[in-house]
Amino acid sequence: MALDTSVIGTEMPSISATMERGRLRAFAKATGQNEPTYVDLDAATAAGHRDLPVPPSFLFGIELEAPDPFEWLAELGVDLRFVLHGEQRFDYHRMAYAGEELTATSRIEDVYSKRGGALDFIVKKTAVTDTDGGPVADLTTVIVVRNPEVTA
Amino acid sequence: MTATTLEVGTELPALQLPPISRTTLALFAGASGDHNPIHVDLDVAKSAGLDDVFAHGMLSMAYLGRALTGWFPQRQVRSFGVRFAAITPVHGQPTCTGKVTSVEDGLATLELVVTLADGTTTLVGDAVVSLD
C-alpha cells in the first residue's frame, strides 16, 4: 500500500513527559547498564551531574508516553505488525537529567516507497525542548513499513 | 579519552552483551515505553508471519549508547545516529564496536557497528564527540 504523500508536513501534537529517576533506573536495568553514574544519585553528582543523566537514546521514548503512541501510524493506514525501525538519529544541544519535563514535537518530513511499493518509508523529525522552550535534542526517525502482499 | 590518545583508525574497546532473553525484551518494553507487541507477544509475531518475536532496534541502540558513554563522558556526545540493517532475533548476542574515522577541530567522528555472534551486522552508525 503506497502511503498518501499529502501527509508530508503534518505536525503532530506535542507530548510532554517528566524524566523520572525510577524509570531511568529501569532503563539501565533493561539495558544491563551498571555504571553508577546512571543509577546512583551520589555517583552522578560526584561526576558533576545535577541528577541522574538521561542516556543518549532514551529521548526516543518521550512520544511513546502518549496514551496511544502508535495512533498516528494507524491513521496513515499502517499495520503496526509490519513496521520496522529503519534509522534513528539524535543531534544533542545539551544533556537532560532526571526531574526535567521535556516536550517532543514531531513533524512528518517525508514519505516514499521503494521496491515497487513493497516497502514504505516515513521520515519524522522531532524537536525535544525543555520547559523554557530551550532545545535539548533533535531526533530523526525513519520508519519502514513492509507490505508483504506486494511482490517486487 | 583525550585527543592525544585518539587518532584515525583507533579502535575503541568492544562492548559484548549476553544473549537477549525474553525477559530483557519485556523489561525494555516497559522501560523504553515501546509496547509494540511484536517484541514481546509470540501470538502477535506469528500473526504477522514471523517464527518468533524479535528485539527492539532501540535496545541495540541503547547498548551502543552504553558503549559510547563508556568511551566518552556523555556531555561530550554531540550526535548519535544508526541505521538498522537487520533484525535482532530473540537470543541474539550483540557486540558493539567503534572506530575513529576522523579527528579535526576538537571533534572526533566514530563509526559504530553492532554485530551478532553469527556475524550478522544489525546496526551501523556514527557519532560525533567533542574532545575538550
Side-chain angles (χ1 to χ4, degrees):
Chain A
M1 184 203 71
L3 293 171
D4 182 356
T5 54
S6 71
V7 300
I8 295 170
T10 302
E11 306 258 355
M12 295 152 70
S14 294
I15 301 294
S16 297
T18 300
M19 302 294 104
E20 297 167 350
R21 284 180 195 157
R23 185 66 174 276
L24 295 178
R25 290 192 182 102
F27 189 85
K29 181 179 180 183
T31 57
Q33 174 61 283
N34 297 319
E35 188 60 45
T37 304
Y38 288 91
V39 290
D40 182 277
L41 189 56
D42 291 339
T45 52
H49 300 295
R50 59 180 146 99
D51 209 307
L52 295 182
V54 173
S57 63
F58 187 84
L59 298 172
F60 179 77
I62 295 173
E63 286 184 295
L64 298 172
E65 297 302 304
D68 187 357
F70 302 120
E71 188 178 21
W72 69 280
L73 285 169
E75 285 174 357
L76 294 178
V78 170
D79 183 334
L80 189 59
R81 295 174 303 160
F82 298 105
V83 165
L84 295 171
H85 201 162
E87 297 177 32
Q88 184 60 45
R89 173 159 204 91
F90 299 85
D91 290 286
Y92 302 102
H93 298 285
R94 67 166 177 86
M95 283 181 65
Y97 291 100
E100 286 198 79
E101 180 175 290
L102 300 179
T103 299
T105 307
S106 289
R107 177 178 184 275
I108 298 177
E109 193 80 4
D110 201 4
V111 169
Y112 55 91
S113 294
K114 284 187 183 175
R115 294 192 204 165
L119 296 174
D120 285 324
F121 293 77
I122 305 166
V123 182
K124 183 163 69 84
K125 295 264 190 186
T126 306
V128 175
T129 53
D130 58 27
T131 48
D132 297 324
V136 174
D138 296 310
L139 280 58
T140 306
T141 303
V142 180
I143 299 284
V144 183
V145 186
R146 295 190 296 127
N147 296 308
E149 76 278 11
V150 178
T151 48
Chain B
M1 278 180 218
T2 62
T4 52
T5 62
L6 280 186
E7 53 188 51
V8 173
T10 299
E11 295 194 9
L12 301 160
L15 176 65
Q16 288 189 300
L17 284 310
I20 296 172
S21 68
R22 294 175 199 278
T23 300
T24 292
L25 296 181
L27 291 175
F28 188 75
S32 71
D34 185 345
H35 301 171
N36 185 343
I38 202 81
H39 301 299
V40 289
D41 189 327
L42 186 55
D43 299 337
V44 172
K46 286 187 169 167
S47 79
L50 304 174
D51 293 330
D52 207 334
V53 297
F54 62 95
H56 309 75
M58 291 305 285
L59 174 60
S60 291
M61 192 170 193
Y63 288 146
L64 258 186
R66 267 184 61 192
L68 190 55
T69 58
W71 298 327
F72 301 92
Q74 192 179 333
R75 59 172 64 87
Q76 293 175 224
V77 178
R78 295 289 181 265
S79 68
F80 176 30
V82 302
R83 181 172 61 82
F84 301 97
I87 279 176
T88 300
V90 63
H91 308 313
Q93 192 174 353
T95 296
C96 303
T97 58
K99 190 165 82 173
V100 179
T101 56
S102 85
V103 179
E104 57 181 82
D105 300 331
L107 296 173
T109 302
L110 315 176
E111 173 189 270
L112 307 171
V113 180
V114 181
T115 50
L116 300 181
D118 69 2
T120 306
T121 298
T122 53
L123 272 72
V124 289
D126 62 86
V128 174
V129 295
S130 71
L131 299 174
D132 45 43

Coordinates of all heavy atoms in Angstrom, one line a residue, chain A residues 66-134:
Chain A
A66 N 2.6 8.9 25.1 CA 1.2 9.3 24.7 C 0.3 8.2 25.0 O 0.7 7.0 25.0 CB 1.2 9.7 23.2
P67 N -1.0 8.5 25.2 CA -2.0 7.4 25.6 C -2.0 6.3 24.5 O -2.1 5.1 24.8 CB -3.3 8.1 25.7 CG -3.0 9.6 26.0 CD -1.6 9.8 25.3
D68 N -1.9 6.7 23.3 CA -2.0 5.7 22.2 C -0.9 6.1 21.2 O -1.1 6.7 20.1 CB -3.3 5.8 21.5 CG -3.5 4.7 20.4 OD1 -2.5 3.9 20.2 OD2 -4.5 4.6 19.8
P69 N 0.4 5.7 21.5 CA 1.6 6.3 20.8 C 1.7 5.9 19.3 O 2.4 6.5 18.6 CB 2.8 5.8 21.6 CG 2.3 4.6 22.3 CD 0.8 4.8 22.6
F70 N 1.0 4.8 19.0 CA 1.1 4.4 17.6 C -0.1 4.8 16.7 O -0.3 4.3 15.6 CB 1.3 2.9 17.5 CG 2.6 2.4 18.3 CD1 2.5 1.5 19.3 CD2 3.8 2.9 17.9 CE1 3.6 1.1 20.0 CE2 5.0 2.5 18.6 CZ 4.9 1.6 19.6
E71 N -1.0 5.6 17.3 CA -2.2 6.0 16.6 C -1.9 6.7 15.3 O -2.6 6.5 14.3 CB -3.0 7.0 17.6 CG -4.4 7.3 17.1 CD -5.1 8.2 18.1 OE1 -4.4 8.9 18.9 OE2 -6.3 8.3 18.0
W72 N -0.8 7.5 15.3 CA -0.5 8.3 14.1 C -0.2 7.3 12.9 O -0.5 7.6 11.8 CB 0.6 9.3 14.3 CG 2.0 8.6 14.6 CD1 2.4 8.1 15.8 CD2 3.0 8.5 13.6 NE1 3.7 7.6 15.6 CE2 4.1 7.8 14.3 CE3 3.2 8.8 12.3 CZ2 5.3 7.5 13.7 CZ3 4.4 8.5 11.7 CH2 5.4 7.9 12.4
L73 N 0.4 6.2 13.2 CA 0.7 5.2 12.2 C -0.6 4.5 11.7 O -0.8 4.4 10.5 CB 1.6 4.1 12.7 CG 3.1 4.6 12.9 CD1 3.9 3.5 13.6 CD2 3.7 4.8 11.5
A74 N -1.5 4.2 12.7 CA -2.8 3.6 12.3 C -3.6 4.6 11.4 O -4.2 4.2 10.4 CB -3.6 3.3 13.6
E75 N -3.5 5.9 11.7 CA -4.2 6.9 10.9 C -3.7 7.0 9.5 O -4.4 7.4 8.6 CB -4.1 8.3 11.6 CG -5.1 8.4 12.8 CD -4.9 9.7 13.6 OE1 -4.1 10.5 13.2 OE2 -5.7 9.8 14.5
L76 N -2.4 6.6 9.3 CA -1.8 6.5 8.0 C -2.2 5.2 7.3 O -1.8 5.0 6.1 CB -0.3 6.7 8.1 CG 0.3 8.0 8.5 CD1 1.8 7.9 8.6 CD2 -0.2 9.1 7.6
G77 N -2.9 4.4 8.0 CA -3.3 3.1 7.4 C -2.2 2.0 7.6 O -2.2 1.0 6.9
V78 N -1.3 2.2 8.5 CA -0.2 1.3 8.7 C -0.5 0.3 9.7 O -1.0 0.6 10.8 CB 1.1 2.1 9.1 CG1 2.2 1.1 9.6 CG2 1.6 3.0 8.0
D79 N -0.2 -1.0 9.4 CA -0.4 -2.1 10.4 C 0.9 -2.2 11.2 O 1.9 -2.5 10.7 CB -0.7 -3.4 9.6 CG -0.9 -4.6 10.5 OD1 -0.5 -4.6 11.7 OD2 -1.6 -5.5 10.0
L80 N 0.7 -2.0 12.5 CA 1.9 -1.9 13.4 C 2.8 -3.2 13.3 O 4.0 -3.2 13.5 CB 1.4 -1.7 14.8 CG 2.5 -1.4 15.9 CD1 3.3 -0.1 15.5 CD2 1.9 -1.2 17.2
R81 N 2.1 -4.3 13.0 CA 2.9 -5.6 12.9 C 3.9 -5.6 11.8 O 4.9 -6.4 11.8 CB 1.9 -6.8 12.7 CG 1.0 -7.0 13.9 CD 0.0 -8.1 13.5 NE -0.8 -7.8 12.3 CZ -1.4 -8.6 11.6 NH1 -1.4 -9.9 11.9 NH2 -2.1 -8.3 10.5
F82 N 3.7 -4.7 10.8 CA 4.6 -4.7 9.7 C 5.6 -3.5 9.7 O 6.2 -3.2 8.7 CB 3.8 -4.8 8.4 CG 3.0 -6.1 8.3 CD1 1.6 -6.0 8.5 CD2 3.6 -7.3 8.1 CE1 0.9 -7.2 8.5 CE2 2.9 -8.4 8.1 CZ 1.5 -8.4 8.3
V83 N 5.7 -2.9 10.9 CA 6.6 -1.7 11.0 C 8.0 -2.1 11.5 O 8.1 -2.9 12.4 CB 5.9 -0.7 12.0 CG1 6.9 0.3 12.4 CG2 4.7 -0.1 11.4
L84 N 9.0 -1.6 10.8 CA 10.3 -1.7 11.3 C 10.9 -0.3 11.5 O 10.5 0.6 10.8 CB 11.2 -2.5 10.2 CG 10.8 -3.9 9.9 CD1 11.6 -4.4 8.7 CD2 11.1 -4.8 11.2
H85 N 11.9 -0.3 12.4 CA 12.6 1.0 12.6 C 13.8 1.0 11.7 O 14.6 0.1 11.7 CB 13.1 1.0 14.1 CG 13.4 2.3 14.6 ND1 13.5 2.5 16.0 CD2 13.6 3.5 14.0 CE1 13.7 3.8 16.2 NE2 13.9 4.4 15.0
G86 N 13.8 1.9 10.8 CA 14.8 2.0 9.7 C 16.1 2.7 10.2 O 17.2 2.2 10.0
E87 N 15.9 3.9 10.7 CA 17.0 4.7 11.1 C 16.6 5.5 12.3 O 15.5 5.9 12.5 CB 17.5 5.7 10.0 CG 18.0 5.0 8.8 CD 18.4 5.9 7.7 OE1 18.9 7.1 8.0 OE2 18.2 5.6 6.5
Q88 N 17.6 5.9 13.1 CA 17.4 6.8 14.2 C 18.6 7.6 14.5 O 19.7 7.1 14.5 CB 17.0 6.0 15.5 CG 16.7 6.9 16.7 CD 15.4 7.7 16.4 OE1 14.4 7.2 15.9 NE2 15.5 9.0 16.7
R89 N 18.3 8.9 14.6 CA 19.4 9.9 14.8 C 19.1 10.9 15.9 O 17.9 11.2 16.1 CB 19.7 10.6 13.5 CG 20.7 11.7 13.6 CD 21.3 12.1 12.2 NE 22.6 12.7 12.5 CZ 23.7 12.0 12.6 NH1 23.7 10.7 12.3 NH2 24.8 12.6 13.0
F90 N 20.1 11.2 16.7 CA 20.0 12.2 17.7 C 21.0 13.3 17.5 O 22.2 12.9 17.4 CB 20.2 11.6 19.1 CG 19.2 10.5 19.5 CD1 19.4 9.2 19.1 CD2 18.1 10.8 20.3 CE1 18.5 8.2 19.5 CE2 17.2 9.8 20.6 CZ 17.4 8.5 20.2
D91 N 20.6 14.6 17.5 CA 21.6 15.7 17.5 C 21.3 16.4 18.8 O 20.2 16.9 19.0 CB 21.4 16.6 16.3 CG 21.8 15.9 15.0 OD1 23.1 15.7 14.8 OD2 21.0 15.4 14.2
Y92 N 22.4 16.4 19.6 CA 22.2 16.9 21.0 C 22.6 18.4 21.1 O 23.6 18.8 20.6 CB 23.0 16.1 22.0 CG 22.7 14.6 21.9 CD1 23.5 13.7 21.3 CD2 21.6 14.1 22.5 CE1 23.3 12.4 21.2 CE2 21.3 12.8 22.5 CZ 22.1 11.9 21.8 OH 21.8 10.6 21.8
H93 N 21.7 19.1 21.9 CA 22.0 20.5 22.2 C 22.6 20.6 23.6 O 23.4 21.4 23.9 CB 20.8 21.4 22.1 CG 20.3 21.5 20.7 ND1 20.9 22.2 19.7 CD2 19.2 20.8 20.1 CE1 20.2 22.0 18.6 NE2 19.2 21.2 18.8
R94 N 22.1 19.7 24.5 CA 22.6 19.6 25.9 C 22.2 18.3 26.5 O 21.3 17.6 25.9 CB 22.1 20.8 26.7 CG 20.6 20.8 27.0 CD 20.3 21.8 28.1 NE 18.9 21.9 28.4 CZ 18.3 21.1 29.3 NH1 18.8 20.1 29.8 NH2 17.0 21.4 29.6
M95 N 22.8 17.9 27.6 CA 22.3 16.7 28.3 C 21.0 17.0 29.0 O 20.7 18.1 29.4 CB 23.4 16.2 29.3 CG 24.5 15.5 28.6 SD 25.7 14.9 29.8 CE 24.8 13.7 30.8
A96 N 20.2 16.0 29.3 CA 19.0 16.1 30.0 C 19.2 15.2 31.3 O 20.0 14.3 31.3 CB 17.8 15.6 29.2
Y97 N 18.4 15.6 32.3 CA 18.5 15.0 33.6 C 17.2 14.6 34.2 O 16.1 15.1 33.9 CB 19.2 15.9 34.6 CG 20.7 16.1 34.2 CD1 21.1 17.3 33.6 CD2 21.6 15.2 34.6 CE1 22.4 17.5 33.2 CE2 22.9 15.3 34.2 CZ 23.3 16.5 33.5 OH 24.6 16.6 33.1
A98 N 17.2 13.6 35.1 CA 16.0 13.2 35.9 C 15.4 14.4 36.5 O 16.1 15.3 37.0 CB 16.4 12.2 36.9
G99 N 14.1 14.5 36.5 CA 13.4 15.6 37.1 C 12.9 16.6 36.1 O 12.0 17.4 36.4
E100 N 13.5 16.6 34.9 CA 13.1 17.6 33.9 C 11.9 17.1 33.2 O 11.7 15.9 32.9 CB 14.2 17.7 32.8 CG 15.4 18.4 33.3 CD 16.2 18.9 32.1 OE1 15.9 19.9 31.5 OE2 17.2 18.2 31.8
E101 N 11.0 18.1 32.9 CA 9.9 17.8 32.0 C 10.3 18.2 30.6 O 10.7 19.4 30.3 CB 8.6 18.6 32.4 CG 7.5 18.3 31.4 CD 6.2 18.9 31.8 OE1 5.6 18.5 32.8 OE2 5.7 19.9 31.1
L102 N 10.3 17.3 29.7 CA 10.7 17.5 28.3 C 9.5 17.3 27.4 O 8.6 16.5 27.6 CB 11.8 16.6 27.9 CG 13.1 16.7 28.7 CD1 14.1 15.6 28.2 CD2 13.7 18.1 28.7
T103 N 9.5 18.1 26.3 CA 8.4 18.0 25.3 C 8.9 17.7 23.9 O 10.0 18.2 23.5 CB 7.7 19.4 25.2 OG1 7.2 19.7 26.5 CG2 6.6 19.4 24.2
A104 N 8.3 16.7 23.3 CA 8.6 16.3 22.0 C 7.6 16.7 21.0 O 6.4 16.5 21.2 CB 8.8 14.8 21.9
T105 N 8.0 17.4 19.9 CA 7.1 17.9 18.9 C 7.6 17.4 17.6 O 8.7 17.6 17.2 CB 7.1 19.5 18.9 OG1 6.8 19.9 20.2 CG2 6.0 20.0 17.9
S106 N 6.7 16.7 16.9 CA 7.1 16.0 15.6 C 6.4 16.5 14.4 O 5.3 17.0 14.5 CB 6.9 14.5 15.8 OG 7.8 13.9 16.7
R107 N 7.0 16.2 13.3 CA 6.5 16.6 12.0 C 6.9 15.5 11.0 O 8.0 15.0 11.1 CB 7.2 17.9 11.6 CG 6.8 18.5 10.3 CD 7.6 19.8 10.1 NE 7.2 20.5 8.9 CZ 7.8 20.2 7.7 NH1 8.8 19.3 7.6 NH2 7.4 20.8 6.6
I108 N 5.9 15.1 10.2 CA 6.3 14.1 9.1 C 7.0 14.8 8.0 O 6.5 15.7 7.4 CB 5.0 13.4 8.6 CG1 4.3 12.7 9.8 CG2 5.4 12.5 7.5 CD1 3.0 12.0 9.4
E109 N 8.3 14.5 7.9 CA 9.1 15.2 7.0 C 9.1 14.7 5.5 O 9.2 15.4 4.6 CB 10.6 15.0 7.5 CG 11.6 15.9 6.9 CD 11.5 17.4 7.5 OE1 10.8 17.6 8.4 OE2 12.3 18.2 6.9
D110 N 8.9 13.3 5.4 CA 8.9 12.8 4.1 C 8.2 11.4 4.1 O 8.2 10.7 5.2 CB 10.3 12.6 3.5 CG 10.4 12.5 2.0 OD1 9.3 12.6 1.4 OD2 11.5 12.3 1.5
V111 N 7.7 11.0 3.0 CA 7.1 9.7 2.8 C 7.4 9.2 1.4 O 7.3 10.0 0.5 CB 5.5 9.8 3.0 CG1 4.9 8.5 2.5 CG2 5.1 10.1 4.4
Y112 N 8.0 8.0 1.3 CA 8.3 7.5 -0.1 C 8.3 6.0 0.0 O 8.3 5.3 1.0 CB 9.6 8.0 -0.5 CG 10.8 7.8 0.4 CD1 11.6 6.7 0.2 CD2 11.1 8.7 1.4 CE1 12.7 6.4 1.1 CE2 12.2 8.5 2.2 CZ 12.9 7.4 2.1 OH 14.0 7.1 2.9
S113 N 8.2 5.4 -1.2 CA 8.2 3.9 -1.4 C 9.4 3.4 -2.1 O 10.0 4.2 -2.9 CB 6.9 3.5 -2.2 OG 5.8 3.8 -1.4
K114 N 9.8 2.2 -1.9 CA 10.9 1.5 -2.6 C 10.4 0.1 -3.0 O 9.4 -0.4 -2.5 CB 12.1 1.5 -1.7 CG 12.9 2.8 -1.6 CD 14.2 2.5 -0.9 CE 15.0 3.8 -0.7 NZ 16.2 3.6 0.1
R115 N 11.2 -0.5 -3.9 CA 11.0 -1.9 -4.3 C 9.5 -2.0 -4.8 O 8.8 -3.0 -4.3 CB 11.3 -2.9 -3.2 CG 12.7 -2.9 -2.8 CD 13.1 -4.1 -2.0 NE 14.3 -3.8 -1.2 CZ 14.6 -4.6 -0.1 NH1 13.9 -5.6 0.3 NH2 15.7 -4.3 0.5
G116 N 9.1 -1.1 -5.6 CA 7.8 -1.2 -6.3 C 6.6 -1.2 -5.2 O 5.6 -1.8 -5.5
G117 N 6.8 -0.6 -4.1 CA 5.8 -0.4 -3.1 C 5.8 -1.5 -2.1 O 5.0 -1.5 -1.2
A118 N 6.9 -2.4 -2.1 CA 7.0 -3.5 -1.1 C 7.4 -2.9 0.2 O 7.1 -3.4 1.3 CB 8.0 -4.5 -1.5
L119 N 8.1 -1.7 0.2 CA 8.5 -1.0 1.4 C 8.1 0.5 1.3 O 8.3 1.1 0.3 CB 10.0 -1.1 1.6 CG 10.6 -2.5 1.8 CD1 12.2 -2.3 1.7 CD2 10.2 -3.1 3.1
D120 N 7.4 0.9 2.4 CA 7.1 2.4 2.5 C 8.1 2.9 3.6 O 8.3 2.3 4.6 CB 5.7 2.6 2.9 CG 4.7 2.4 1.8 OD1 5.0 2.7 0.6 OD2 3.6 1.8 2.1
F121 N 8.5 4.2 3.4 CA 9.3 4.9 4.3 C 8.7 6.1 4.8 O 8.1 6.9 4.0 CB 10.7 5.2 3.7 CG 11.5 4.0 3.4 CD1 11.2 3.3 2.2 CD2 12.6 3.7 4.1 CE1 12.0 2.1 1.9 CE2 13.4 2.5 3.8 CZ 13.1 1.8 2.7
I122 N 8.7 6.3 6.1 CA 8.2 7.6 6.8 C 9.3 8.2 7.5 O 10.0 7.6 8.4 CB 7.0 7.2 7.7 CG1 5.9 6.4 7.0 CG2 6.5 8.5 8.3 CD1 4.9 5.8 8.0
V123 N 9.6 9.5 7.2 CA 10.7 10.2 7.9 C 10.0 11.2 8.8 O 9.2 12.0 8.4 CB 11.6 10.9 6.9 CG1 12.7 11.6 7.7 CG2 12.2 10.0 5.9
K124 N 10.4 11.1 10.1 CA 9.8 12.0 11.1 C 10.9 12.8 11.8 O 11.9 12.2 12.2 CB 9.0 11.1 12.1 CG 8.2 11.9 13.2 CD 7.2 10.9 13.9 CE 7.9 9.8 14.7 NZ 8.2 10.2 16.1
K125 N 10.7 14.1 12.0 CA 11.6 14.9 12.7 C 11.0 15.4 14.0 O 9.8 15.8 14.0 CB 12.0 16.2 11.9 CG 12.7 15.9 10.6 CD 14.2 16.0 10.8 CE 14.9 15.9 9.4 NZ 16.4 15.9 9.6
T126 N 11.7 15.3 15.1 CA 11.2 15.6 16.4 C 12.1 16.5 17.1 O 13.3 16.3 17.3 CB 11.1 14.3 17.3 OG1 10.3 13.3 16.5 CG2 10.4 14.6 18.6
A127 N 11.6 17.6 17.6 CA 12.3 18.6 18.4 C 12.0 18.3 19.9 O 10.8 18.3 20.3 CB 12.0 20.0 18.1
V128 N 13.0 18.1 20.7 CA 12.8 17.9 22.1 C 13.3 19.2 22.8 O 14.4 19.6 22.6 CB 13.6 16.7 22.7 CG1 13.5 16.6 24.2 CG2 13.1 15.4 22.0
T129 N 12.4 19.8 23.6 CA 12.6 21.0 24.3 C 12.3 20.9 25.7 O 11.6 20.0 26.2 CB 11.8 22.2 23.6 OG1 10.4 21.8 23.7 CG2 12.2 22.4 22.2
D130 N 12.9 21.9 26.5 CA 12.6 21.9 27.9 C 11.5 22.9 28.3 O 10.9 23.4 27.3 CB 13.9 22.3 28.7 CG 14.5 23.6 28.3 OD1 13.7 24.5 27.8 OD2 15.7 23.8 28.4
T131 N 11.2 23.1 29.5 CA 10.0 23.9 29.9 C 10.2 25.4 29.5 O 9.2 26.1 29.4 CB 9.7 23.8 31.4 OG1 10.9 24.0 32.1 CG2 9.2 22.4 31.8
D132 N 11.4 25.8 29.3 CA 11.7 27.2 28.8 C 11.6 27.3 27.3 O 11.8 28.4 26.8 CB 13.0 27.7 29.3 CG 13.1 27.8 30.8 OD1 12.1 28.1 31.5 OD2 14.2 27.5 31.4
G133 N 11.4 26.1 26.7 CA 11.4 26.1 25.2 C 12.8 26.0 24.6 O 13.0 26.0 23.4
G134 N 13.8 25.8 25.5 CA 15.2 25.6 25.0 C 15.4 24.3 24.4 O 14.8 23.3 24.8

